[in-house]
Amino acid sequence: VDTGEVVAQLEGFFSAPEFTGYVRKFVEEHMAAFVFVDEGEEQPLCNYDLYLKYTRIIEEQLDGFLSDIGIGHEDLVSLCVAERGEGNSASYCLDYIIASTQYDAFVQMMWDMHHVQEYFFDTDDFAGYSCLGWVTVRASE
């Protein structure tokens, strides 16, 4: 398996509107229920339940893609972890996959998305837009 080619195909798959729509919908529906706690504090069980939901969504979306390229879930996760270990931080698709297999990575992803929403909500030049295509309504409107 050509790792570079698989990562390129993953980027295409994960940037497609069909996939980003699933992630956006998940975040929109569940961000308010996610409980942010200080580092080192115990995570509430409700956060783990959200992680399991996220994992199911990602696995369902990946099934057809993985079948098409001829690799399994475990091989894909190993590939992503290896890419991340080699310093590939530009491929955001790695984060989506790793967050579906490692709870700490999921918590980090939710934290990052929460702060992206706050940043775009509070910035006048880009108010209302996020990297996943969210359009938010400012409280004053």
Side-chain angles (χ1 to χ4, degrees):
V1 175
D2 179 355
T3 302
E5 185 174 325
V6 171
V7 171
Q9 289 175 336
L10 279 170
E11 288 290 348
F13 176 78
F14 279 99
S15 64
E18 299 83 14
F19 180 81
T20 58
Y22 282 104
V23 174
R24 181 176 50 246
K25 182 179 178 188
F26 176 85
V27 172
E28 287 172 350
E29 290 177 355
H30 301 293
M31 184 62 76
F34 193 86
V35 179
F36 293 94
V37 297
D38 291 333
E39 189 173 341
E41 288 186 29
E42 187 173 333
Q43 291 284 326
L45 287 177
C46 62
N47 286 359
Y48 191 77
D49 290 340
L50 292 175
Y51 165 71
L52 294 176
K53 287 180 184 180
Y54 177 79
T55 297
R56 282 191 298 276
I57 289 169
I58 298 300
E59 287 177 355
E60 288 170 5
Q61 295 305 304
L62 280 174
D63 282 342
F65 173 80
L66 293 176
S67 176
D68 289 346
I69 64 171
I71 65 173
H73 284 275
E74 295 81 18
D75 294 331
L76 178 64
V77 171
S78 295
L79 181 142
C80 291
V81 170
E83 278 291 300
R84 179 65 70 215
E86 291 177 16
N88 183 347
S89 60
S91 294
Y92 65 88
C93 70
L94 301 176
D95 295 331
Y96 290 142
I97 295 168
I98 293 170
S100 74
T101 63
Q102 298 174 2
Y103 181 68
D104 290 343
F106 171 76
V107 171
Q108 182 65 48
M109 181 193 77
M110 292 297 284
W111 188 89
D112 291 345
M113 289 186 174
H114 174 72
H115 289 289
V116 164
Q117 285 179 328
E118 283 183 349
Y119 172 79
F120 280 102
F121 185 78
D122 291 334
T123 303
D124 290 336
D125 293 340
F126 300 103
Y129 297 96
S130 80
C131 63
L132 290 177
W134 287 296
V135 176
T136 57
V137 178
R138 292 172 73 62
S140 62
E141 293 180 355

